[in-house]
Amino acid sequence: MAFDIDMIKKHYASLGEKVNAAREKLGRPLTLTEKILYSHLHPESPLEDYKRGDSYVFFSPDRVAMQDATAQMALLQFMMAGKKKVAVPSTVHCDHLIQAKVGADKDLEIAKDSNKEVYDFLNSVSDKYGVGFWKPGAGIIHQIVLENYAFPGGMMIGTDSHTVNAGGLGMVAIGIGGADAVDVMAGLPWELKMPKLLGVKLTGKMSGWTTPKDVILKVAGIVSAKGGTGYIVEYFGEGAKTFSGTGKGTICNMGAEIGATTSNFGYDDSMKRYLEATDRADVAAAADAVREHLNGDAEVYADPEKYFDQVIEIDLNTLEPHINGPFTPDRAFPISEFAAAVEKNDFPSVLSVGLIGSCTNSSYEDLARAASIAKQAADKKLKAKAEFTITPGSELVRFTTERDGILDEFEKIGGVVLANACGPCIGMWARVGAEKQERNAIIHSFNRNFAKRADGNPNTQAFVASPELVTAMTIAGDMKFNPLTDTLINEDGEAVKLDEPTGFELPPKGFDVEDAGYEAPAEDGSGINVVVSPTSDRLQLLTPFVPITTDELSGMRLLIKAKGKCTTDHISMAGPWLKYRGHLENISNNCYIGAVNAYSDETNNVINYADGTGKYMAVPDSARAYQKADIGTVVFGEDNLGEGSSREHAAMEPRFLGIKAVIVKSFARIHETNLKKQGLLALTFVNPSDYDKVRQDDVVSIKGFETFAPDTNLVVELEHTDGSKDSFEVAHTYNAAQIDWVKAGSALNKIRKDQGL
């Protein structure tokens, strides 16, 4: 039986009435996305036709999921909220802190020892506040959610940008920062600007080497890394029904790479099969009874341009396998054009490492199809010429694939099976030789390929492809290899060709597992003590932020003017810094160290004028010097600042170090919200060219804060050292409630104030 089945059945019982009421109120047919959103309106947002891309709306999500890196800060904040128990079903998943180095068993053993303090904290705080706990080794959060918690027509939030993976089972699942999670766990409404709708119509059917991964790689190439910002992507059409549930999850997962709020598919028989295979036949039966409400209305899909803000059509019959990269997941190449692209762009032609798995592609189906390529290679006397790693998505998947001999096929050609965790996908990879910073190419089935993300080497060019294509290219060891057309020379000197991948949507003998890794919380956690050592360098209790004042916004200094792409990896790196995710003071030492200084093209080296002399320092050191001198600081940036992971540390660290405002050409959605939640000013240039007016030795002031109000611009004044001045307007998207967060010092402070704390 499923987790929280009573909650699911209760939702379905009222779904038809809510959908019909919304359809009548809006006076038109509804998309699936609208059905889910309008059926989850919080009482503070009455039913009305909310304007997409403009109206702020309160929702009531069904559940919250947190991974161990972000759960630390989320639960440290929840401890300050004055609540005895979480108000909605919530879970913690220990998947981010396991470093990939040797292999699954040894790496997991080391992680349990080195992270014991953090795991004990997460276990005890979960026990106390009624949060389900998934142990280290249980699996990657998004795979666990898909296997256990996701349900068609539901709404969830998670403290990881790839929470969107659950759209594969028909949810509206949205990545958020920990402060948003605190709101929902505390029983408060969750606020979101009503998203626009991007419809993707899928026709035809995939065949051969083409996979669901290639759909989202194609979409990323069309839309770009920021083109989905503010949108929910809804996939529909006859082609959508041809994917498995986990294949749909792969497509939704990488919607985060186009900046989409989330993505989803309508409920169909593939979802039903997956629910039944994962011991949730009761959910499938309940969903069957309301199937009409778990899909968009027929009129919508018959005339999509009338109901979506934007529509893309993809013919699966002609879709080629894709390889995207390097350094950005939206640079898309069909496989037929990739060899020429390697030559034209001077990409490394030798493939060093192939990696499959991650939350994006680690299902039974993914591994089975990739293993069919590995088996062929062994049968045809081929071995992987590049290094090869395999990451199962969960213990359920690992146990079942081991039972069925799938993992053996990888090991026969030299593959190494890693722990059921994120590993290299988030930089938790102790790659031998990475410190040499040699130019090289890797290819993986992960979702992101930003510079330095996987191994810390800025000269590693990472490319994204399906597990099947990654496996084939790893066998070849050649970036110009096209398995659809090319041959390889085997151990006997014969030219052999790889056949198309084959596999199973679901395990023919069913899933099996001895210990899935779940621990239920105590029925009554009131007697449980959560202990955080005051001398710990991993965990630190929080102190409420002090509100920004009008006076502090005068006479500020520029901390850094970031040039070009500035993701949350640039603002708050992962990898070795993950160990400090529960210690705000320590992790603040990585604040903006990956951002490129617009004045020097260097990273982590900025000029500081705290003592009036002007000397170069690391970014965090410069911030602390200004903070010690009671001088506020400002960060300037370019487009889509904060794209990538949901990590709220990228907002909490600047706040902790005395930064008052972040002013950019545009923000990624989650990062902008995180800045607001922490009481910072997130502002955008009215005229993007004003970015060019900012000099590194400017004195910066922001005018108008005393009358800070919705839809009212503020003014930035720059005093240049030559005596001249510049001023320009900056816009913001704060509503009245969000302005209250700033005035209180943070959203959490507002919660505490409302609790009388």
Side-chain angles (χ1 to χ4, degrees):
M1 189 177 80
F3 287 92
D4 311 305
I5 186 63
D6 291 338
M7 176 267 286
I8 295 171
K9 288 182 176 178
K10 182 180 178 181
H11 172 63
Y12 286 161
S14 64
L15 182 59
E17 180 182 349
K18 290 179 178 178
V19 167
N20 289 332
R23 190 184 291 116
E24 182 177 351
K25 185 70 174 180
L26 274 60
R28 56 175 170 77
L30 301 178
T31 63
L32 168 64
T33 300
E34 289 171 316
K35 291 181 179 182
I36 299 175
L37 292 176
Y38 278 94
S39 65
H40 285 86
L41 289 177
H42 189 274
E44 290 190 23
S45 286
L47 178 58
E48 62 180 78
D49 190 356
Y50 291 103
K51 186 177 180 183
R52 297 176 194 164
D54 184 64
S55 301
Y56 281 94
V57 187
F58 288 117
F59 295 100
S60 296
D62 298 307
R63 65 178 316 108
V64 174
M66 298 166 280
Q67 39 93 336
D68 50 356
T70 52
Q72 295 171 62
M73 197 57 70
L75 290 171
L76 284 165
Q77 291 177 88
F78 183 78
M79 290 170 64
M80 298 175 67
K83 299 291 183 177
K84 294 182 179 179
K85 193 172 184 177
V86 293
V88 301
S90 304
T91 52
V92 166
H93 305 260
C94 296
D95 63 353
H96 271 57
L97 302 179
I98 302 169
Q99 187 177 49
K101 186 173 184 179
V102 179
D105 293 341
K106 185 65 175 177
D107 292 346
L108 181 58
E109 179 185 336
I110 292 171
K112 286 180 177 178
D113 180 62
S114 62
N115 299 313
K116 185 178 187 304
E117 178 185 16
V118 172
Y119 292 147
D120 287 349
F121 165 74
L122 291 173
N123 198 344
S124 63
V125 75
S126 297
D127 218 17
K128 182 175 183 64
Y129 293 108
V131 176
F133 182 74
W134 289 83
K135 298 182 293 187
I140 305 171
I141 175 173
H142 312 302
Q143 183 68 24
I144 295 292
V145 166
L146 204 68
E147 292 170 357
N148 296 275
Y149 299 114
F151 68 95
M155 184 182 198
M156 69 172 287
I157 59 172
T159 60
D160 189 285
S161 55
H162 292 102
T163 299
V164 295
N165 189 77
L169 280 184
M171 293 194 87
V172 163
I174 301 174
I176 46 85
D180 276 358
V182 172
D183 283 354
V184 176
M185 291 190 294
L188 300 177
W190 177 63
E191 186 181 55
L192 178 72
K193 183 181 286 188
M194 183 60 82
K196 295 181 180 180
L197 301 181
L198 169 59
V200 180
K201 182 178 181 180
L202 301 172
T203 61
K205 185 177 181 179
M206 296 181 306
S207 62
W209 286 85
T210 307
T211 72
K213 180 78 161 209
D214 300 303
V215 173
I216 185 58
L217 294 179
K218 173 74 170 179
V219 170
I222 295 170
V223 175
S224 86
K226 66 175 183 176
T229 303
Y231 285 85
I232 289 182
V233 184
E234 184 171 325
Y235 292 86
F236 64 94
E238 289 305 309
K241 299 175 184 177
T242 64
F243 303 137
S244 65
T246 52
K248 292 180 173 75
T250 291
I251 294 170
C252 292
N253 182 298
M254 276 197 68
E257 274 53 69
I258 62 170
T261 302
T262 190
S263 306
N264 58 47
F265 285 79
Y267 178 63
D268 61 12
D269 288 344
S270 72
M271 293 186 193
K272 179 178 181 177
R273 291 192 296 271
Y274 187 74
L275 288 167
E276 291 174 340
T278 51
D279 292 329
R280 289 176 287 171
D282 44 0
V283 176
D288 278 340
V290 293
R291 186 181 284 229
E292 65 176 301
H293 304 307
L294 301 176
N295 282 276
D297 290 335
E299 299 93 327
V300 169
Y301 297 150
D303 189 9
E305 286 80 5
K306 186 176 179 181
Y307 300 98
F308 290 94
D309 298 287
Q310 185 180 347
V311 177
I312 295 171
E313 185 168 338
I314 295 175
D315 179 6
L316 300 178
N317 292 322
T318 59
L319 180 65
E320 284 190 59
H322 274 59
I323 299 176
N324 287 24
F327 304 134
T328 184
D330 61 347
R331 189 180 185 187
F333 299 97
I335 186 64
S336 63
E337 300 174 11
F338 191 67
V342 172
E343 290 284 347
K344 179 181 178 181
N345 297 285
D346 192 29
F347 299 151
S349 60
V350 175
L351 176 62
S352 297
V353 190
L355 309 97
I356 64 172
S358 90
C359 66
T360 325
N361 280 110
S362 56
S363 67
Y364 184 93
E365 179 183 34
D366 287 326
L367 297 186
R369 283 176 57 86
S372 75
I373 306 298
K375 184 178 188 307
Q376 283 185 56
D379 292 345
K380 295 179 180 182
K381 298 184 179 181
L382 296 167
K383 283 195 174 182
K385 290 188 177 179
E387 292 180 38
F388 191 26
T389 70
I390 302 92
T391 306
S394 68
E395 179 58 14
L396 182 74
V397 168
R398 189 211 64 78
F399 189 94
T400 306
T401 51
E402 182 179 57
R403 178 202 68 189
D404 293 350
I406 289 172
L407 298 185
D408 287 343
E409 301 296 349
F410 296 124
E411 292 173 340
K412 285 177 184 176
I413 63 167
V416 175
V417 178
L418 301 175
N420 315 321
C422 299
C425 183
I426 57 159
M428 290 297 282
W429 182 20
R431 184 183 179 189
V432 176
E435 73 283 353
K436 299 177 184 177
Q437 298 197 357
E438 294 174 339
R439 185 174 181 269
N440 73 105
I442 66 174
I443 188 167
H444 57 60
S445 67
F446 307 162
N447 37 47
R448 295 203 171 118
N449 58 345
F450 302 144
K452 300 195 285 187
R453 181 175 175 90
D455 62 2
N457 177 5
N459 298 312
T460 293
Q461 297 189 19
F463 297 84
V464 183
S466 68
E468 295 91 328
L469 198 56
V470 170
T471 303
M473 295 191 71
T474 304
I475 292 165
D478 181 358
M479 290 297 290
K480 291 188 276 190
F481 176 65
N482 180 352
L484 284 70
T485 58
D486 299 347
T487 59
L488 297 170
I489 304 301
N490 70 5
E491 294 173 1
D492 295 337
E494 302 168 331
V496 295
K497 189 171 183 293
L498 295 172
D499 301 322
E500 296 173 354
T502 59
F504 301 97
E505 176 183 328
L506 296 162
K509 294 188 288 184
F511 284 108
D512 197 10
V513 69
E514 289 181 352
D515 178 10
Y518 176 71
E519 293 184 4
E523 286 291 325
D524 180 4
S526 59
I528 297 172
N529 292 320
V530 180
V531 179
V532 175
S533 169
T535 60
S536 171
D537 71 344
R538 299 285 302 269
L539 297 164
Q540 182 185 53
L541 294 175
L542 297 174
T543 301
F545 289 132
V546 176
I548 294 171
T549 65
T550 300
D551 290 345
E552 290 175 328
L553 296 177
S554 293
M556 297 183 292
R557 284 288 190 172
L558 170 74
L559 179 61
I560 186 170
K561 181 179 176 181
K563 177 182 177 181
K565 184 183 284 285
C566 187
T567 72
T568 49
D569 275 358
H570 296 90
I571 302 169
S572 175
M573 288 183 177
W577 290 95
L578 285 174
K579 67 180 291 187
Y580 298 121
R581 284 285 179 87
H583 198 292
L584 182 55
E585 184 175 358
N586 283 347
I587 199 168
S588 292
N589 289 320
N590 79 0
C591 187
Y592 275 98
I593 64 174
V596 176
N597 183 349
Y599 304 107
S600 65
D601 287 336
E602 295 180 320
T603 59
N604 202 26
N605 193 30
V606 294
I607 197 165
N608 180 278
Y609 295 96
D611 63 2
T613 60
K615 52 190 174 185
Y616 282 89
M617 298 181 177
V619 179
D621 294 342
S622 181
R624 293 181 193 277
Y626 282 128
Q627 196 173 33
K628 186 176 180 180
D630 291 325
I631 298 171
T633 48
V634 185
V635 169
F636 290 93
E638 297 200 72
D639 282 308
N640 207 31
L641 186 121
E643 78 169 272
S645 298
S646 67
R647 62 191 67 145
E648 66 184 321
H649 298 77
M652 294 188 78
E653 293 172 33
R655 184 74 166 93
F656 181 78
L657 292 176
I659 295 170
K660 309 303 180 188
V662 180
I663 304 172
V664 299
K665 296 178 182 179
S666 64
F667 285 106
R669 176 189 62 85
I670 300 176
H671 186 58
E672 181 181 21
T673 300
N674 286 344
L675 292 169
K676 291 179 178 182
K677 286 277 184 176
Q678 300 305 332
L680 276 148
L681 292 177
L683 309 172
T684 55
F685 297 103
V686 170
N687 183 348
S689 65
D690 288 335
Y691 169 89
D692 299 323
K693 295 176 180 176
V694 181
R695 306 176 190 175
Q696 63 180 336
D697 54 359
D698 282 345
V699 174
V700 184
S701 298
I702 298 175
K703 304 295 183 180
F705 182 69
E706 64 278 5
T707 56
F708 190 28
D711 303 316
T712 302
N713 292 346
L714 300 175
V715 174
V716 172
E717 290 188 355
L718 306 175
E719 297 179 38
H720 307 307
T721 53
D722 62 7
S724 64
K725 293 184 178 181
D726 272 304
S727 67
F728 48 83
E729 290 191 13
V730 287
H732 66 84
T733 60
Y734 290 78
N735 60 26
Q738 294 168 344
I739 289 172
D740 285 344
W741 300 342
V742 177
K743 298 295 187 181
S746 69
L748 180 58
N749 285 2
K750 184 66 168 58
I751 294 175
R752 289 170 56 82
K753 181 179 178 182
D754 292 344
Q755 293 288 314
L757 298 176

